[in-house]
Amino acid sequence: MSTIYIEKHDLQNTEAIQTKLEQLLQQELSTVKEVEGWLKDVSDFYDELREALDGHYIDFQAHNQDAEAKAKFEHDQKEIEPLIKIYAAKLDEKLMSSPFKDELDQAHYGRLLRSKENALKLFNEENVQLEVEEDRLATRYFELTGGLTADWNGEEKTIPELFPILEDSDRQARQAAFEKIFGALETVEEELQEIMDQLMELRKKKAANSGLENYRDYMFKKYERFDYTPEDCKRLAASIREHVVPVARKLDEQKRERLGVDTLMPYDRKAVPADEAPLKPFTTRDELVEKTSKALGQLDPRFQELIDTMNEKGMLDLETRKNKSPGGFCTPLPVSELSFIFMNASQTHDDMLTLFHEMGHCIHNDLNRHLPLSYDRDTPMESSELASMTMELISMDQWDHFYSTKEWKQAKLDVLRGMIGFLPSGIRVDEFQHWMYENPDHTKEERMEKFAEISKELSSGVVDWSGYEDVRKKEWLFTLHIFEVPFYYVEYVIAQLGAMQMYKQYKEDPSGTLERYKYALSLGNTKSLYEVYEAAGIRFDFSADMIQELMEFIQKEIAELEAMTV
């Protein structure tokens, strides 16, 4: 199994881990300096545990049918993670009850202290065992979805290998692939729905145990969303309906015309017209890495050095294969001082874009690793996704490493149009989860109907789902976040709006924007979201006025590109 991560402690030896945690808990703290030193000791031990735990997670996601990887991962879930959670609360209590707490520099430690106070209010030991079961169910989700395959012309294909066919100019091929994908999902749908039912019950109990009305409120506190509220999310959805959906409708009508079809069907959404070929920016994994490295190097030599080092050290698991979990992620490895990228590439433009996205996370981790405490490096998702989504956009001028001028134009148009299409689909996932946890006693049938209802409200109205109504109800089953990291989705929407702002200023001042980008990422979690976005030269603002302004800008960019002769 993998040797890419550093395992300083044997996680099979639960007693030794507990002994070390107990030593930290019993340590005498007689001065404010000793408190500061103790905080660093706790942080360092957490870093060491986190790298080993995340290493085991990587091994399992990469080979989710491997017995050894699964055994280690399940041991961590059942024994080590609960132990850490229980001691984290005890250590937080030790800090917050220290008479020297108030002598800590508030400018440096104020955010950490607020976080610890919030965590203590939220903690309930009964939830620890509920989370063990929650993790088990999420693991089963990955086993089911990661093992899905379908026959394609006599060859067994993984689901990620079928997705590129949805771009094919052959409409019959697109339809067949679409039906194969959701036909495969249908084989595990019943168990996935049962998993969701069980998760709903567990999460309802967790919220009640913490004295909260619903699980949505629980997760807002857990994610430390101090800078916006559930009502802000609902206003964001309303603004997207008002200012983005009409633009998406216009783009979908243009798509229908370009494809030369009377009706735009669900399997047409990613298709290219007959006079275009699907973008194929690379043919091998090594080619993808080499070209991405060169593109990043033109932005900043350190960015290129980073991906090259990660590649040399085996930190890039990029290709799809059977029994590899779906999706993609970037995991920081704090002891190794590098990051690991996991994805399922199948030679598409989206795969290329995913690598730039995940490298944005890696660059973020690299720029804030100078911060001594793990808390300060544990950045809010709204700034983490700003880092990654901005990288997708500011790298576009370097895509000549992948494409001819004609292909580059096509690729850039796909990204700009895709951003507009993403905003309604992204907020759809958030609205769906708000509804689920505000109505936790809903049935499976109500859940399916509600997702279809929200999808319809946020759709352009151009795509015809006739004959695929059931597919529309179950699309969300492919959204792993709903199962593994609930309520982690609105961050993508918020960060997309931030990235659009970044791209707008990058067009006007490339070098200045890049410097502000790097500075903002270097702040980690030491500043509020408002301050991080301000440091980047933009606003943490998802008001209707901001959305309208950005839609006008993106439409202007699209029009200029469409008029460009190549």
Side-chain angles (χ1 to χ4, degrees), residues 7 40 130 228 241 265 398 442 445 505 510:
E7 197 161 359
K40 181 67 167 64
L130 293 179
Y228 62 99
R241 282 185 178 87
M265 298 299 290
Q398 281 69 49
H442 65 262
E445 290 74 23
Q505 68 164 323

Side-chain angles (χ1 to χ4, degrees), residues 289-312 359 363:
V289 174
E290 180 184 353
K291 290 179 174 180
T292 304
S293 171
K294 289 177 180 176
L296 290 172
Q298 286 184 264
L299 286 170
D300 189 296
R302 174 56 189 163
F303 299 171
Q304 181 172 26
E305 180 186 1
L306 185 60
I307 190 172
D308 289 347
T309 301
M310 290 168 61
N311 189 38
E312 290 166 9
M359 279 306 302
I363 289 162

